Amino acid sequence: MRECYPTVYQWVRERVKPERDENKRATYRDNWWLFGEPRKEWREMSLGLHRYISTVVTQKHRFFIALESTVLPDDALINIATESYSVLGVLSSRIHFIWMLVTGGTLEDRPRYIKTRCFETFPFPILSEQQVAEIGKLAERIDAHRKQQQALHSELTLTGMYNVLEKLRAGDDLNDKERVINQHGLVSTLLEDHDKLDRAVFKAYGWPDLESKLVGRPGATTPLPDKPTDQVEAEEQLLMRLVALNKQRAVEEVQGKVRWLRPAYQAPDSTQVGVDLITEKDEVRKTTAPAAKGKVVFPKSLPEQLKVLRETLAERPHTVESLAELFKRKPRKSVEEGLLSLAALKLAEYEQETDTWYTTG
């Protein structure tokens, strides 16, 4: 660089090198003229792929897209090294979105996708060949639809399209600008395809009872305040089943049965096996009576319970008893169940010596 671009070299040396000299990371300190370092793990994982799955870390609406392998992602993206459209379909489903809301974080009012929590703990369904084809076809159609309409109308944004999509779900009237977005983005058609995808994924899990209660309802891509009671209860049941399935997978992995998403890369010598999906209903115990003054009511919904427990443990470790004491009516059983759910999601751990629970991240 010094020989070919001496002016640039001096500019970088004067402004960048002093800061890099203080960097604790040797590669940044020693190679101070380079912007960063090669992401060898990603290059190895994505080698040979025609495309991969990507989503923005922080965004109002959670959607996943297929990116061509020639696109090099930056640190604002979460990337999944698979070209499987069926995986894209499951990640794009309402089921994964609800899981993501509980396990992920937030920045202001926007959900943040944390890969180690949202993706690595998520129990994917085991798909038949027919389900792989059906879900993959729907996901590919959705991905192609969005790209095609954006190519035809350069002013279209995905956020704008999904703002309109959620208003259509809610049955709200569109203003003039939103009607244009609906027309240019063919958002009503996009909504229809998303509902078809959700139905297919619910069927893959074997949960038709929840399919009928949740598919088509608002709040499938962005947090929805003040949800109807029946929707809240259905989402609680969904989370309980996902947690149970997560625990089942954890037991199986201890036994050496791992459900690889990309077995040809992750475990080329292994044999993929099936799994019995959870179908029984889990009811969340409700607390309705008032309780002691000065204490807060333990939330009724599972997502809120897990959120409160995580936030409380972030302040300091607790025993089950000390946590329960913080809430009215001392809901020890619900607190204990919530802690076990957090442990299954790898968001909390139990220390037997001190009989305390603490957060893991």
Side-chain angles (χ1 to χ4, degrees), residues 15-269:
R15 292 165 175 79
V16 176
K17 189 175 186 302
E19 180 181 340
R20 287 293 183 89
D21 286 341
E22 303 299 322
N23 199 300
K24 295 181 180 180
R25 194 176 182 90
T27 53
Y28 284 93
R29 186 174 61 250
D30 298 340
N31 302 301
W32 54 266
W33 62 91
L34 297 177
F35 178 75
E37 59 183 302
R39 297 301 189 261
K40 297 179 181 179
E41 296 85 356
W42 172 252
R43 292 176 184 272
E44 180 182 344
M45 286 188 292
S46 60
L47 183 65
L49 297 180
H50 296 95
R51 60 183 173 272
Y52 59 91
I53 299 170
S54 187
T55 189
V56 179
V57 175
T58 305
Q59 59 184 160
K60 177 181 179 181
H61 295 278
R62 180 57 51 194
F63 47 78
F64 293 78
I65 62 174
L67 290 178
E68 297 297 320
S69 58
T70 53
V71 178
L72 296 179
D74 64 13
D75 61 354
L77 298 177
I78 297 293
N79 308 291
I80 314 297
T82 177
E83 54 189 7
S84 168
Y85 277 115
S86 62
V87 173
L88 175 61
V90 174
L91 291 175
S92 301
S93 70
R94 178 186 293 263
I95 290 178
H96 184 65
F97 174 71
I98 293 173
W99 177 268
M100 183 277 300
L101 281 184
V102 174
T103 57
T106 56
L107 178 62
E108 298 171 344
D109 60 345
R110 292 167 295 162
R112 283 179 60 83
Y113 196 91
I114 302 174
K115 189 175 181 180
T116 54
R117 296 178 180 179
C118 303
F119 177 76
E120 294 181 8
T121 65
F122 180 67
F124 280 79
I126 300 301
L127 306 177
S128 66
E129 291 185 6
Q130 181 179 353
Q131 289 169 333
V132 167
E134 180 185 7
I135 292 174
K137 182 179 179 180
L138 288 167
E140 185 175 8
R141 182 192 298 172
I142 288 171
D143 189 62
H145 175 107
R146 297 179 303 205
K147 291 173 179 174
Q148 177 178 308
Q149 297 313 119
Q150 284 189 295
L152 292 173
H153 305 280
S154 59
E155 78 285 357
L156 269 181
T157 66
L158 289 175
T159 298
M161 292 172 70
Y162 279 92
N163 282 339
V164 171
L165 185 145
E166 284 296 339
K167 290 196 74 171
L168 291 173
R169 282 192 192 279
D172 295 339
D173 293 332
L174 303 182
N175 59 34
D176 291 342
K177 180 181 178 180
E178 290 165 341
R179 281 193 287 271
V180 171
I181 293 174
N182 186 27
Q183 186 64 33
H184 287 179
L186 301 180
V187 180
S188 295
T189 301
L190 178 63
L191 170 58
E192 181 182 4
D193 287 340
H194 267 291
D195 285 349
K196 289 179 179 178
L197 175 63
D198 281 341
R199 291 190 184 95
V201 176
F202 270 106
K203 285 184 172 65
Y205 277 97
W207 299 333
D209 58 317
L210 296 182
E211 172 196 341
S212 62
K213 296 176 181 178
L214 290 175
V215 174
R217 305 292 289 271
T221 63
T222 193
L224 177 69
D226 303 322
K227 294 178 183 177
T229 302
D230 64 324
Q231 183 174 347
V232 172
E233 292 176 350
E235 290 181 359
E236 289 173 359
Q237 291 180 28
L238 173 60
L239 284 169
M240 293 297 288
R241 295 183 195 186
L242 287 171
V243 169
L245 186 54
N246 172 283
K247 292 178 181 178
Q248 179 181 334
R249 296 287 170 78
V251 171
E252 290 173 344
E253 288 185 9
V254 170
Q255 298 171 346
K257 300 177 182 178
V258 182
R259 313 297 171 178
W260 305 110
L261 282 183
R262 192 180 161 197
Y265 170 77
Q266 294 171 292
D269 298 325

Side-chain angles (χ1 to χ4, degrees), residues 298-322:
F298 195 59
K300 294 181 180 180
S301 69
L302 180 63
E304 287 300 317
Q305 289 177 1
L306 300 188
K307 180 181 178 182
V308 167
L309 290 175
R310 281 177 60 190
E311 291 174 349
T312 306
L313 288 178
E315 296 176 1
R316 68 176 181 86
H318 276 276
T319 64
V320 174
E321 196 70 23
S322 67

Side-chain angles (χ1 to χ4, degrees), residues 334-349:
S334 295
V335 167
E336 189 170 18
E337 290 174 351
L339 290 171
L340 292 174
S341 296
L342 288 176
L345 300 174
K346 299 181 181 179
L347 298 177
E349 287 188 7

